[in-house]
Amino acid sequence: MFLKPTAGRTVRDPVKGTLLPEEGAEVQKSTFWDRRLRDGDVVNADAVPQAKPVSTAKVTDTTTDGDKTTATTDTGSAR
């Protein structure tokens, strides 16, 4: 499971002996991590965060004029 420390808290990984990074880390499910979740020391982030956002540009209209093809793109955000 992927866990992140709650804001303002530090939690030491009992296996590695290091602090759980602020950006979170994948840890093995155990009673230790279940207690940290229950006590509010960490939050379950469910998925590994992506390194970079994916481009949302898409082709919305294509026209053909003789030998030329023109495409317009919509670069608005997809929410």
Side-chain angles (χ1 to χ4, degrees), residues 2-77:
F2 193 85
L3 301 177
K4 292 171 61 170
T6 302
R9 301 214 183 159
T10 56
V11 180
R12 188 167 300 279
D13 185 323
V15 175
K16 297 177 183 175
T18 59
L19 294 178
L20 187 64
E22 288 183 24
E23 62 273 5
E26 186 71 29
V27 297
Q28 177 116 16
K29 182 171 174 55
S30 68
T31 55
F32 174 82
W33 292 116
D34 287 341
R35 281 194 315 269
R36 299 292 66 78
L37 278 165
R38 185 184 63 229
D39 293 347
D41 295 327
V42 296
V43 293
N44 193 346
D46 287 329
V48 177
Q50 293 182 4
K52 290 185 175 182
V54 178
S55 174
T56 59
K58 59 183 178 181
V59 174
T60 56
D61 185 29
T62 304
T63 59
T64 304
D65 294 327
D67 291 342
K68 292 194 236 176
T69 300
T70 306
T72 59
T73 59
D74 176 13
T75 58
S77 63

